[in-house]
Amino acid sequence: MPEDPREREEAARQVVLRQLAMGPRSRRQLERKLADREAEPELVERVLDRFEEVSLVDDAAFAEVWVRSRARGKRLSRRAISRELHDKGVDRDVAEEALAAIEPEDERQAALELVRSKMRGRPAPAADGPEGRAERDKVTRRLVGMLGRKGYGPGLAFGVVKEVLAELDEA
């Protein structure tokens, strides 16, 4: 950071503007970026307060956009998105308000779509005989694991996988 206080403030503003040009950021993310650049805490607070005043930094709006994009684009669960928002420094209450947009049925549908897309074009593994059961168990474990990595709980994951495999058995 430069020596002159006005230059330091301008440099901090430029850092924030570059970060926002790349995409929405939470206040905490911007605080971390400015701290990495060794900006004084008072300067960071002053610059970010000004950006909030003009609505360029808004954690509630950031959380809403993040929830929509991660739920639709990556089909992540509420739990996974909540963890991401926490990592980005979004207040728990703000995050919960944004996450309220995800209905349980929407989450279940997203999990169904994920499993169906993984199984598209593949036959259901046979469930008869030891080798068939072993193959079906392997497919089930992989699909449940994939859903688990996306933040879905085991109960929902097993239920969805069972449903999709039953659909394939009927086809």
Side-chain angles (χ1 to χ4, degrees), residues 38-169:
E38 299 177 359
E40 309 84 47
E42 311 81 48
L43 173 64
V44 170
E45 189 170 339
R46 187 172 59 248
V47 167
L48 293 179
D49 284 350
R50 179 64 184 139
F51 274 86
E52 281 184 339
E53 283 175 26
V54 296
S55 299
L56 289 174
V57 173
D58 181 348
D59 279 0
F62 168 79
E64 286 175 25
V65 168
W66 191 262
V67 166
R68 252 192 329 269
S69 107
R70 301 304 276 180
R72 289 185 187 145
K74 297 283 185 182
R75 295 185 187 139
L76 295 178
S77 71
R78 282 178 51 101
R79 184 173 52 194
I81 298 169
S82 175
R83 191 173 37 247
E84 288 181 345
L85 288 171
H86 174 75
D87 292 346
K88 293 185 178 311
V90 175
D91 181 71
R92 180 183 305 268
D93 293 337
V94 172
E96 285 303 316
E97 192 171 316
L99 288 164
I102 301 174
E103 297 291 332
E105 185 54 32
D106 295 338
E107 194 171 44
R108 185 176 177 289
Q109 276 304 122
L112 275 167
E113 290 172 19
L114 280 165
V115 173
R116 286 176 179 143
S117 71
K118 287 287 183 192
M119 292 303 294
R120 195 164 287 124
R122 294 179 60 189
D128 52 336
E131 290 153 13
R133 282 192 300 276
E135 180 61 24
R136 193 173 187 98
D137 288 347
K138 182 173 89 173
V139 168
T140 299
R141 279 192 312 276
R142 286 183 178 170
L143 292 170
V144 168
M146 178 263 304
L147 290 174
R149 288 186 295 281
K150 294 214 175 249
Y152 295 94
L156 175 66
F158 275 105
V160 164
V161 169
K162 183 178 175 183
E163 183 177 334
V164 171
L165 292 178
E167 289 171 2
L168 291 173
D169 286 340

